[in-house]
Amino acid sequence: MIRIDKNESPYRALTEDEIAKIAIDTQFNQYAENEYQDLQKSYAAFNNLDPELVSFANGSDEWIQKSVVVLGKGPILTFDPDFVMYQVYAEQFGREIVKLPSNEDHTFDYEKVYKKIEELKPSIFIFSQPNNPYGTLHPADFIEKAAEMMKEVGGYFVLDEAYGEFVEETAQYPTGDHVIRFRTLSKVYGLAGLRIGVATSTRKTMELLDSIAHPYPLNTFSLNVAVHLLNQPERLEEFIELNRELSKQLHSVFKEEVGDIIPMLESHTNFLFTYGDDAMDLGNYIVENGFLPRMYPEDESPALKKAVRYSIAKENQLEEIRKIIQKWRDEKWQSRKNG
Ligand SMILES: Cc1ncc(COP(=O)(O)O)c(C=O)c1O
């Protein structure tokens, strides 16, 4: 079974020889020395940031958990659907979480969001931009207004940009002590298993988030691999571009083969969200044929009851999926329609 359910990169960016060399050179009998600071410098240089305002943890998952621990004690606001770990961590620490449901057409009602911020005065408003699982982008005017409102109520505005590198149009996002941005090396950098999540904000807020950091927060091997990759910016750009191309291919396959019969959302990520009865039928058929997309049988969110989300795969695998879709359309969809 080929997994296309976790929005990873299907490739590693480094050769086996390079990986072996990094492993050999990694002094893991000792605690890390300057490796963390090296990654701060390399990541900041690649992303045009101040290295002193960039911190790392074991995946952005850990940053989400840390936020729940240190950013106030009041309610947490998010969307429904959104990344499942917001709720998981809120529940771990007994924090109230309020989820704003999307409309039936998978858009969000931002006027309701503004009202909810005023009424609830959340300590944290966290959401993914672009949204996981929809892949859609929240508009810039909403981001600006919601961030300002969170400042007024004394809360934190946390943008989880796990798929930010797939967004083509660059938006100017608000800044300030109340604004935190999370990114990750798990997606477009192809390092999911090494668990490197990034947080950036102002010095004051980074100090607060880092106030519960562990000593040697990341393992030396992960740090060394990431530094090796980031220090080759041209090659890394090419790898990122490859992931973006795979995302385009994934979209073309579904649009060309079933865009006229299966509803799907315009995605700015490395995955594609499809929904409805036919989407479920196709999803199950794809599972029977050896690929495992994400379905949501356990999820309470009504928007996910009949949804299937597909992550990028290798080029030849995506073409294999195309053939499976064609077969489904010829054999199953056609006969269901006729019958
Ligand atoms: C929106 C969002 N945030 C965070 C994460 C977790 O990423 P990491 O691997 O950095 O913990 C994911 C992973 O799927 C995600 O989709």
Side-chain angles (χ1 to χ4, degrees):
M1 190 67 93
I2 297 167
R3 282 202 295 110
I4 44 168
D5 61 338
K6 292 202 169 71
N7 308 335
E8 298 144 328
S9 169
Y11 292 109
R12 295 193 294 198
L14 303 178
T15 64
E16 289 188 0
D17 284 348
E18 282 176 293
I19 297 167
K21 172 135 188 13
I22 298 167
I24 291 162
D25 290 346
T26 297
Q27 299 301 319
F28 53 72
N29 53 316
Q30 298 175 333
Y31 295 112
E33 214 166 312
N34 298 319
E35 287 88 342
Y36 184 94
Q37 288 77 5
D38 290 344
L39 182 57
Q40 280 180 308
K41 282 186 217 138
S42 302
Y43 183 85
F46 188 73
N47 288 285
N48 234 338
L49 297 165
D50 177 347
E52 291 188 15
L53 302 181
V54 176
S55 286
F56 304 101
N58 277 275
S60 30
D61 281 332
E62 190 180 334
W63 283 121
I64 299 163
Q65 189 188 42
K66 280 184 153 59
S67 312
V68 170
V69 175
V70 295
L71 302 180
K73 302 230 176 302
I76 296 169
L77 185 63
T78 189
F79 287 114
D80 179 19
D82 209 315
F83 184 49
V84 62
M85 295 312 290
Y86 309 146
Q87 175 158 5
V88 172
Y89 290 129
E91 285 171 358
Q92 274 182 5
F93 293 91
R95 296 281 297 267
E96 180 190 355
I97 178 150
V98 175
K99 302 201 278 182
L100 293 154
S102 64
N103 301 318
E104 255 183 48
D105 64 358
H106 303 90
T107 59
F108 292 92
D109 185 338
Y110 298 114
E111 289 306 319
K112 279 195 187 149
V113 180
Y114 304 142
K115 269 199 206 121
K116 190 52 99 179
I117 295 175
E118 265 171 6
E119 172 197 310
L120 189 70
K121 299 191 177 24
S123 293
I124 304 172
F125 180 18
I126 183 167
F127 59 91
S128 49
Q129 167 77 336
N131 173 276
N132 177 9
Y134 288 169
T136 51
L137 269 177
H138 296 288
D141 58 340
F142 152 71
I143 301 271
E144 200 176 312
K145 180 159 175 184
E148 194 50 39
M149 290 184 74
M150 285 304 294
K151 185 178 179 183
E152 280 161 21
V153 301
Y156 289 90
F157 185 73
V158 184
L159 280 169
D160 178 354
E161 300 178 278
Y163 306 94
E165 293 88 354
F166 289 94
V167 181
E168 282 179 13
E169 56 277 31
T170 43
Q172 200 64 34
Y173 283 150
T175 52
D177 290 338
H178 63 297
V179 180
I180 299 168
R181 297 171 70 172
F182 293 153
R183 287 224 169 178
T184 179
L185 273 66
S186 297
K187 307 298 176 185
V188 85
Y189 293 78
L191 303 179
L194 298 186
R195 313 300 299 121
I196 306 177
V198 188
T200 61
S201 183
T202 59
R203 189 173 304 269
K204 182 174 169 203
T205 302
M206 288 316 298
E207 273 172 14
L208 179 60
L209 281 174
D210 276 330
S211 65
I212 52 167
H214 304 285
Y216 315 108
L218 256 67
N219 77 75
T220 350
F221 180 69
S222 294
L223 290 165
N224 286 342
V225 172
V227 168
H228 179 87
L229 185 58
L230 283 155
N231 286 353
Q232 303 175 72
E234 279 171 23
R235 188 170 163 207
L236 178 53
E237 279 296 356
E238 260 174 46
F239 185 73
I240 291 175
E241 202 42 49
L242 166 67
N243 279 269
R244 290 187 184 129
E245 285 302 319
L246 292 174
S247 176
K248 286 190 190 131
Q249 193 184 341
L250 168 75
H251 286 80
S252 305
V253 166
F254 278 82
K255 258 193 213 152
E256 285 162 18
E257 303 305 332
V258 280
D260 56 334
I261 54 169
I262 291 187
M264 57 191 77
L265 300 178
E266 191 63 45
S267 170
H268 302 258
T269 63
N270 60 354
F271 57 83
L272 172 72
F273 184 88
T274 64
Y275 58 97
D277 288 323
D278 286 332
M280 287 304 290
D281 197 67
L282 173 61
N284 287 323
Y285 189 77
I286 287 177
V287 173
E288 284 164 26
N289 283 275
F291 287 88
L292 186 67
R294 179 76 199 269
M295 297 196 214
Y296 304 86
E298 315 286 325
D299 206 288
E300 295 157 11
S301 173
L304 300 181
K305 285 277 170 285
K306 290 183 180 168
V308 187
R309 192 196 67 189
Y310 300 89
S311 309
I312 53 171
K314 294 178 180 171
E315 296 87 335
N316 62 328
Q317 294 169 339
L318 290 172
E319 289 313 309
E320 220 179 297
I321 292 172
R322 184 194 290 280
K323 292 206 184 87
I324 297 169
I325 299 175
Q326 287 169 347
K327 240 171 69 193
W328 172 81
R329 189 164 179 151
D330 288 349
E331 290 170 13
K332 290 205 70 190
W333 184 76
Q334 204 58 40
S335 69
R336 273 202 314 152
K337 226 177 108 213
N338 295 340

